[in-house]
């Protein structure tokens, strides 16, 4: 019993010394007035640099020093969700740490490449992520700013019918809801109808003269309507990455696509000659219910059809939509 007590005491003392050592490293890194280190510190995002709540944003941290590295400390202006931290399960990166929580580096290491995962928490607009390296000569720091983008919602199996430029269906992308025959059903002045009109981002109509299908906004000037509110959404045909499904588009994917396209300069209020397979980026009017939110519509079917609300032959556009919420 006495021997067991002595061993336990020794083990506990070793743990306390180890923990104290880790804390000393952290205190030195954060509080000691070191000079500048000549260590080369490179922090790069792995994949998207921005994301939505709950998404994982990963960073590659590479360090090369002429001196032993003591610690790699991560500070964030907004604490990441549970699970954020150094990812040592990714075998393409190193694990130089004596303590992963504090970022304490094992003795004798002068270079490494590690991965850090940040899980975006709720109710923030951005987070500043600071990487601080302390070696035996001093310290070096790099900051990255992560911007939080809107979440997205996917809607499939959407069918829009149209007879011509007078009788047609409209879509609220924010709801994934089709409003049929809006001239008949939603044009008379009422509080309910104005509320519907403000939700509409996308109109499908068919030009019987040139036999062309159109995706357009209510404000395009091509439609015969008697509406009180006309959303002037913008549209542009784009290409998705080969093999990428619309349902696989993440919030950060959509954000990256938007950053690569100048919708104000290149977007149009109407897209003609719409065909199966077309991928159309759109952005809502600033005055719409879904103000300035963006999304993507993918055309999956387009053919003559019959629907009770429109007399004679009509056309149907079958599509899926992803939209910011």
């Amino acid at each position: 019993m006495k021997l067991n007590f002595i061993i336990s005491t020794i083990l506990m003392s070793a743990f306390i010394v180890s923990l104290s050592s880790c804390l000393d490293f952290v205190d030195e890194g954060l509080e000691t007035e070191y000079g500048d280190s000549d260590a080369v510190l490179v922090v790069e995002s792995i994949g998207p640099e921005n994301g939505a709540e709950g998404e994982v944003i990963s960073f590659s941290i590479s360090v090369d020093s002429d001196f032993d590295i003591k610690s790699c400390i991560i500070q964030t202006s907004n604490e990441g969700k549970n699970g954020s931290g150094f990812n040592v399960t990714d075998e393409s990166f190193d694990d130089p740490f004596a303590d992963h929580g504090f970022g304490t580096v094992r003795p004798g290491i002068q270079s490494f490449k590690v991965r850090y995962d940040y899980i975006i928490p709720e109710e923030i607009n951005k987070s500043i992520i600071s990487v601080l390296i302390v070696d035996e000569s001093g310290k070096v720091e790099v900051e990255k700013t992560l911007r939080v983008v809107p979440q997205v919602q996917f809607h499939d199996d959407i069918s829009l019918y149209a007879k011509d430029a007078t009788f047609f269906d409209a879509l609220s992308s924010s709801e994934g809801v089709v409003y049929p025959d809006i001239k008949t059903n939603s044009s008379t002045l009422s509080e309910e109808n104005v509320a519907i009109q403000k939700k509409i981002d996308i109109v499908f109509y068919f030009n019987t003269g040139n036999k062309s299908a159109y995706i357009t906004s209510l404000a395009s000037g091509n439609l015969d309507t008697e509406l009180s509110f006309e959303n002037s959404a913008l549209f542009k045909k784009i290409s998705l990455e080969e093999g990428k499904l619309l349902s696989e588009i993440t919030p950060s994917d959509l954000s990256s696509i938007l950053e690569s396209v100048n919708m104000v300069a290149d977007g149009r209020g109407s897209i003609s000659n719409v065909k199966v397979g077309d991928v159309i980026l759109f952005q809502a009017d600033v005055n719409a219910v879904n103000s300035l939110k963006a999304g993507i519509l993918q055309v999956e079917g387009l053919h003559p059809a019959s629907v009770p609300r429109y007399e004679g032959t009509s056309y149907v556009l079958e599509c899926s939509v992803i939209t910011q919420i």
Side-chain angles (χ1 to χ4, degrees):
M1 178 67 73
K2 185 176 181 180
L3 180 61
N4 287 340
F5 173 77
I6 292 172
I7 293 174
S8 298
T9 302
I10 292 172
L11 290 174
M12 181 60 70
S13 299
F15 172 76
I16 292 171
V17 169
S18 174
L19 179 59
S20 175
S21 176
C22 291
L23 290 172
D24 287 344
F25 276 125
V26 175
D27 288 341
E28 288 178 358
L30 294 177
E31 299 176 6
T32 301
E33 291 297 326
Y34 276 102
D36 293 333
S37 168
D38 290 330
V40 177
L41 169 60
V42 178
V43 181
E44 298 176 315
S45 60
I46 305 170
E49 295 183 357
N50 303 308
E53 175 192 326
E55 283 196 297
V56 179
I57 304 299
S58 299
F59 296 92
S60 168
I61 302 170
S62 299
V63 190
D64 191 4
S65 174
D66 294 330
F67 302 88
D68 284 3
I69 300 168
K70 301 173 71 176
S71 55
C72 175
I73 301 167
I74 308 294
Q75 291 181 290
T76 60
S77 59
N78 292 285
E79 185 178 356
K81 276 190 173 181
N82 187 36
S84 299
F86 293 109
N87 185 339
V88 295
T89 63
D90 189 333
E91 295 182 355
S92 58
F93 290 85
D94 303 323
D95 181 6
F97 299 112
D99 184 282
H100 300 96
F102 292 113
T104 309
V105 177
R106 296 192 302 272
I109 294 177
Q110 297 185 346
S111 65
F112 58 74
K113 181 179 179 181
V114 296
R115 171 175 166 172
Y116 178 81
D117 291 344
Y118 179 82
I119 305 175
I120 300 175
E122 300 175 1
E123 299 180 352
I124 68 167
N125 295 319
K126 68 177 182 179
S127 187
I128 298 172
I129 297 173
S130 173
V131 180
L132 176 68
I133 296 296
V134 179
D135 64 14
E136 291 180 341
S137 70
K139 61 184 178 181
V140 59
E141 186 173 11
V142 169
E143 284 188 353
K144 289 287 185 179
T145 299
L146 183 156
R147 183 168 55 86
V148 180
V149 299
Q151 276 286 6
V152 297
Q153 194 163 28
F154 176 69
H155 303 283
D156 59 357
D157 295 329
I158 295 172
S159 294
L160 294 160
Y161 291 85
K163 182 175 177 61
D164 47 32
T166 301
F167 297 102
F168 51 81
D169 295 349
L171 175 69
S172 166
S173 68
S174 59
E175 302 172 310
V177 172
V178 174
Y179 290 96
D181 191 1
I182 61 170
K183 181 166 184 179
T184 301
N185 297 323
S186 306
S187 63
T188 55
L189 184 59
S190 70
E191 185 176 342
E192 181 182 2
N193 283 343
V194 169
I196 290 172
Q197 293 164 23
K198 288 183 177 181
K199 296 177 183 178
I200 292 172
D201 306 303
I202 297 167
V203 169
F204 164 60
Y205 81 92
F206 193 80
N207 187 317
T208 55
N210 62 15
K211 304 297 182 185
S212 178
Y214 285 75
I215 289 292
T216 187
S217 71
L218 288 173
S220 67
N222 301 325
L223 304 171
D224 178 12
T225 67
E226 299 171 359
L227 307 181
S228 302
F229 182 89
E230 295 185 343
N231 185 342
S232 57
L234 295 174
F235 303 90
K236 180 176 174 58
K237 286 187 181 182
I238 61 169
S239 297
L240 292 182
E241 179 184 338
E242 186 175 354
K244 188 86 166 181
L245 300 176
L246 192 63
S247 58
E248 297 173 343
I249 297 291
T250 66
S252 47
D253 288 336
L254 181 52
S255 176
S256 297
I257 292 170
L258 283 168
E259 289 174 0
S260 68
V261 176
N262 187 339
M263 287 297 283
V264 174
D266 300 331
R268 297 290 180 265
S270 187
I271 298 287
S272 62
N273 198 27
V274 172
K275 292 182 171 59
V276 174
D278 281 350
V279 179
I280 300 171
L281 180 69
F282 62 88
Q283 189 165 37
D285 188 353
V286 67
N287 295 314
V289 169
N290 204 22
S291 178
L292 285 183
K293 296 297 179 67
I296 298 173
L297 180 147
Q298 187 164 33
V299 180
E300 296 164 348
L302 181 62
H303 53 82
S306 178
V307 65
R309 59 180 170 270
Y310 301 130
E311 184 180 350
T313 300
S314 298
Y315 291 82
V316 60
L317 181 139
E318 299 160 343
C319 62
S320 295
V321 170
I322 187 169
T323 185
Q324 292 174 327
I325 54 175

